[in-house]
């Protein structure tokens, strides 16, 4: 983080500044976008509240406990969507040949692509997600210990890295298969839906694949268990909640490898 | 997914909810709730003039194109989530012989209603040029009021019934899905499709009327 203000990062900072200026130039439109992005997260939270109207518990967890998972999930996804989410437009970049232009510049391809189109309107979504998380933590009445304070800082950030990795990994499909359609979305947006609820509400193969195979259980479910001091009904030991942020490191590594292989494999469309 | 001690939530069994969720995900791409701005873009650039010169009415023209798109989406976007649901979950399969055809009709009506709503939102471009506001209003309200975030039957009756009769939203997703999972008696099941039919008619008439006003405005502007 220390090298953020060095000559090496200057072109990236210039890209980001240009983005900010251009997107804020139509003020009314920008404000409408900010407001609507809050609405999206608010509706997600509303959905959970309505679910608890008809059922007292969800997979063995009450509203108080579930909101912690909702908060972690909402903040992590919204922030990853803000910083990395637009990589899902790589299909257009491949098709229009923009990716070729990016590759011939003496800068990293991934940072360029991310900074060329930062959806600043989603800042509001990320902030609202943070507000939901803070409210959920206050409402849950957590007994704070130094360990839990550390976890409550690390877990949301790890969630951001995790979802960001999923975004990048899903985008690399476009290198092999340009019209990859919604394959990636099933894992990015599907993952968001999955992490908003205790994993005990799912079952069988589906749970095994999404929760443990793809690691979505470590975004919100296990950190929330550790914060709340609850044992896992599925029988994993208590320390899993504390080490779950490490899943983000694994995910980021896998995504980085996939991206590298993809870039090397890339043959321009010739447009 | 959510179920109380009795295995029932707001009149749905676990299996019915599983069907509701997975088929709902598949329907989303067929009726294309979000993200259609083609007409608004053409109005802004002026290309819409060539649509108006055709011997086919623009509403019919765009509706036909949308039906074709939906047919393709049915194969590519509807079947995968439905198959995933079938393979990985205990889903509810219809028991009445006529539910299948009735669901197909209900889905077709949902598509027409959804197209009409999108068309109306796009038509505001004649007056506003930038349809961001109406689009945002549509995007936010359509998802939650159509039953995408949660089945609308989870709401108290005094909220749900007026919503269902007085707005087209529940007819977009909630009704076809309720028809499919046979949540209600046969009479109510058929009656719900009747309500859809009324809404489809009303929305198309609205499209036609607003289109006429918009064209007059275009003439005043000098084309």
């Amino acid at each position: 983080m220390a090298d953020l203000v060095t000559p090496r990062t200057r072109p990236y900072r210039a890209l980001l500044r240009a983005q900010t200026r251009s997107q804020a130039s139509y003020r009314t439109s920008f404000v409408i976008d900010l407001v609507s992005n809050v609405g999206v997260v608010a509706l997600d939270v509303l959905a959970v509240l309505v679910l608890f109207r008809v059922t007292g518990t969800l997979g063995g967890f009450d509203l108080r406990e579930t909101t912690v998972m909702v908060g972690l999930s909402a903040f992590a996804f919204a922030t990853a969507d803000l910083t990395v989410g637009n990589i899902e437009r790589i299909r257009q970049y491949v098709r229009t040949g923009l990716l070729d232009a990016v590759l011939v510049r003496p800068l990293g391809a991934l940072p360029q692509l991310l900074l060329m189109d930062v959806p600043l309107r989603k800042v509001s979504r990320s902030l609202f997600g943070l507000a939901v998380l803070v409210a959920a933590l206050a409402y849950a009445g957590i007994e704070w210990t130094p360990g839990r304070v550390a976890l409550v800082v690390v877990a949301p950030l790890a969630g951001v890295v995790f979802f960001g990795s999923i975004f990048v990994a899903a985008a690399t499909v476009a290198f092999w298969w340009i019209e990859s359609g919604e394959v990636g979305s099933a894992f990015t947006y599907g993952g968001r839906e999955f992490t908003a609820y205790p994993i005990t509400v799912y079952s069988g193969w589906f749970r095994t694949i999404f929760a443990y195979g793809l690691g979505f259980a470590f975004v919100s479910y296990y950190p929330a268990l550790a914060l709340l001091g609850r044992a896992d009904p599925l029988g994993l030991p208590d320390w899993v909640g504390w080490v779950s942020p490490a899943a983000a490191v694994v995910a980021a590594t896998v995504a980085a490898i996939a991206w590298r292989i993809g870039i090397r494999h890339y043959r321009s469309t010739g447009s | 997914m959510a179920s109380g001690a009795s295995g029932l939530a707001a009149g749905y069994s676990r299996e019915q909810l599983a069907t509701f969720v997975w088929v709902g995900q598949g329907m989303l791409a067929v009726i294309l709730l979000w993200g259609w701005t083609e007409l608004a873009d053409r109005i802004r650039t002026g290309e819409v003039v060539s649509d108006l010169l055709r011997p086919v009415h623009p509403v019919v023209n765009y509706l036909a194109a949308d039906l074709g798109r939906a047919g393709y989406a049915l194969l590519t976007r509807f079947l995968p989530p439905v198959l995933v649901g079938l393979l990985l979950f205990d889903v509810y399969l219809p028991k009445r012989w006529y539910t299948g055809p009735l669901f197909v009709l209900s889905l077709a009506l949902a598509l027409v209603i959804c197209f009409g709503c999108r068309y109306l939102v796009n038509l505001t471009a004649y007056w506003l040029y930038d349809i961001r506001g109406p689009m945002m209003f549509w995007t936010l309200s359509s998802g939650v009021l159509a039953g995408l975030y949660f089945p609308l039957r989870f709401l108290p009756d005094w909220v749900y019934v007026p919503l269902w009769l007085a707005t087209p939203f529940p007819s977009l997703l909630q009704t076809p899905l309720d028809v499919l999972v046979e949540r209600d008696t046969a009479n109510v099941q058929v009656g719900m499709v009747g309500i859809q039919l009324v809404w489809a008619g009303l929305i198309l008439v609205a499209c036609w009327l607003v289109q006429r006003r918009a064209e007059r405005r275009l003439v005043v502007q000098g084309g």
Side-chain angles (χ1 to χ4, degrees), chain A residues 37-39 41-43 45 74 123-133:
Chain A
N37 272 290
V38 166
V41 185
L43 288 176
V45 176
V123 166
S124 60
R125 201 186 285 205
S126 174
L127 288 174
F128 187 75
L130 183 62
V132 172
L133 176 60

Side-chain angles (χ1 to χ4, degrees), chain B residues 141-161:
Chain B
S141 53
S142 63
V144 70
L145 299 178
L148 180 71
Y149 287 82
F150 51 84
L152 295 172
R153 304 302 259 285
F154 286 10
L155 296 168
D157 273 354
W158 59 267
V159 176
Y160 172 67
V161 174

Side-chain angles (χ1 to χ4, degrees), chain A residues 32-118:
Chain A
I32 289 179
D33 276 341
L34 285 176
V35 172
S36 64
N37 272 290
V38 166
V40 173
V41 185
L43 288 176
D44 277 338
V45 176
L46 177 75
V48 174
L49 294 176
V50 171
L51 279 182
F52 275 97
R53 237 202 105 249
V54 294
T55 173
T57 60
L58 205 57
F61 290 83
D62 61 19
L63 178 60
R64 195 178 56 85
E65 294 159 325
T66 307
T67 46
V68 176
M69 298 173 198
V70 172
L72 281 168
S73 164
F75 170 76
F77 184 87
T79 312
D81 194 24
L82 164 70
T83 47
V84 187
N86 259 20
I87 198 69
E88 66 183 14
R89 300 171 97 175
I90 190 142
R91 279 181 293 158
Q92 284 96 298
Y93 300 155
V94 170
R95 239 199 341 257
T96 56
L98 183 78
L99 186 60
D100 300 19
V102 163
L103 286 171
V104 295
R105 292 178 198 153
L107 297 170
L110 187 57
Q112 273 190 85
L113 290 174
L114 296 182
L115 288 168
M116 268 161 50
D117 202 349
V118 180

Side-chain angles (χ1 to χ4, degrees), chain A residues 254-265:
Chain A
V254 172
I257 292 169
W259 177 262
R260 270 174 179 265
I261 295 173
I263 282 278
R264 294 229 173 92
H265 172 91

Side-chain angles (χ1 to χ4, degrees), chain B residues 196-212:
Chain B
Q196 275 189 298
L197 202 59
V198 173
W199 271 112
L202 285 173
I203 293 277
L204 285 181
V205 168
C207 284
W208 185 77
L209 287 172
V210 177
Q211 176 75 39
R212 211 171 52 168

Side-chain angles (χ1 to χ4, degrees), chain B residues 73-157:
Chain B
L74 203 57
L75 297 174
T76 55
R77 309 274 301 273
F78 178 81
L79 288 177
V82 172
L83 289 175
V84 167
L86 267 174
L87 292 172
L88 297 176
F89 286 82
D90 294 334
V91 290
Y92 178 88
L93 298 171
K95 295 183 174 44
R96 304 169 190 163
W97 63 266
Y98 56 84
T99 293
L102 195 63
F103 171 71
V104 172
L105 174 64
S106 184
L107 179 60
L109 287 170
L111 171 60
V112 171
I113 296 167
C114 188
F115 162 80
C117 292
R118 283 186 274 121
Y119 195 88
L120 285 173
V121 171
N122 273 255
L123 276 184
T124 58
Y126 276 110
W127 288 268
L128 302 174
Y129 308 113
D130 181 8
I131 62 161
R132 216 179 284 246
M135 202 70 190
M136 167 190 122
F137 180 74
W138 161 252
T139 304
L140 288 181
S141 53
S142 63
V144 70
L145 299 178
L148 180 71
Y149 287 82
F150 51 84
L152 295 172
R153 304 302 259 285
F154 286 10
L155 296 168
D157 273 354

